Amino acid sequence: MIISEMNTVRGGSSKMLKIYCGKCRFFLCEYQKDGAGNLRRMYLDRIIKPLISLDKKDLSCGNGHIIGVKIIYKKENRLAFRLISGSFVKEIIKF
Ligand SMILES: [Zn+2]
């Protein structure tokens, strides 16, 4: 991973998460989340080391469980996956 990519944090707190499928615990990716609050969306440009394809319409694990649906987040005009609540588990990566 290129560490300098993580220096583009936009104000506020930022944390690294590991995202797994909630059904089968398939490791999906690492994600840099900015700000507080629940994880409802994953922006494509904050997804790191994905083990799954980001090119498809849906975000799904290696076993075909659907985790999210690709959207354009209009407020910021950014590609994101809207996550289906309960379909994934997250783990905070400690530095
Ligand atoms: Zn799965």
Side-chain angles (χ1 to χ4, degrees):
M1 183 173 68
I2 302 162
I3 298 294
S4 64
E5 276 180 8
M6 288 169 50
N7 293 334
T8 57
V9 177
R10 300 178 304 163
S13 62
S14 174
K15 57 191 164 195
M16 291 296 302
L17 303 172
K18 283 186 172 181
I19 310 295
Y20 300 89
C21 174
K23 287 202 177 109
C24 67
R25 301 295 152 130
F26 187 95
F27 174 72
L28 297 161
C29 61
E30 292 182 6
Y31 185 69
Q32 183 187 346
K33 184 180 186 305
D34 293 338
N38 289 333
L39 184 64
R40 294 201 190 90
R41 284 179 299 273
M42 283 202 298
Y43 297 106
L44 267 70
D45 56 13
R46 296 286 180 204
I47 295 176
I48 298 156
K49 292 196 262 185
L51 264 72
I52 31 82
S53 168
L54 304 179
D55 299 329
K56 292 188 245 167
K57 236 173 54 187
D58 296 324
L59 180 69
S60 54
C61 81
N63 294 313
H65 302 125
I66 304 288
I67 310 298
V69 180
K70 193 178 272 179
I71 57 161
I72 296 173
Y73 187 54
K74 285 196 181 127
K75 260 204 256 180
E76 302 184 34
N77 200 26
R78 286 165 88 190
L79 271 179
F81 287 109
R82 186 175 58 226
L83 300 172
I84 299 161
S85 96
S87 70
F88 63 95
V89 290
K90 62 183 194 289
E91 184 184 289
I92 296 173
I93 301 172
K94 297 203 170 69
F95 289 106

